[in-house]
Amino acid sequence: MAIGQILRFSGASIDKYDAVQNELGWRDDGTGAPDGLIAHAAGSTDDGFCVIDQWQSAAHWDTFFSQRLMPAFQKVGDIPQPDVTRFDVHRSYIAE
């Protein structure tokens, strides 16, 4: 089952997001994107930045998180613990 996630990183600038993306080798053209990712959006908020994702399954997210994202967080450093909201996707639409 597909999942959606909202991750709010308070106290960190969008520069931290950019540094992690660079570390992952994940480019705007989709190069380096994780397996199982359906949609991704990120942007600055009043107190940090927010990431909204849709994944094919929780297992895809868990694999990406443990194998790629956590090592990138550790290398970049000073990434605050996010406030995470996860939900089962009932319906989705991605306009192109």
Side-chain angles (χ1 to χ4, degrees), residues 11-34:
S13 73
I14 198 71
D15 294 338
K16 287 289 186 180
Y17 168 85
D18 291 338
V20 169
Q21 289 296 93
N22 188 54
E23 191 61 39
L24 290 169
W26 185 353
R27 307 288 177 245
D28 290 340
D29 66 359
T31 303

Side-chain angles (χ1 to χ4, degrees), residues 23-24 64-76:
E23 191 61 39
L24 290 169
F64 170 68
F65 181 78
S66 65
Q67 294 180 5
R68 293 184 60 196
L69 191 57
M70 276 307 297
F73 278 3
Q74 291 168 346
K75 190 161 185 182
V76 169

Side-chain angles (χ1 to χ4, degrees), residues 5 7 9 17 21 24 26-28 33-34 37-43 49-55 61 64 69 94:
Q5 291 192 137
L7 296 90
F9 294 84
Y17 168 85
Q21 289 296 93
L24 290 169
W26 185 353
R27 307 288 177 245
D28 290 340
L37 181 69
I38 296 170
H40 175 84
F49 67 92
C50 181
V51 175
I52 302 171
D53 285 342
Q54 183 178 349
W55 293 85
W61 160 255
F64 170 68
L69 191 57
I94 300 170

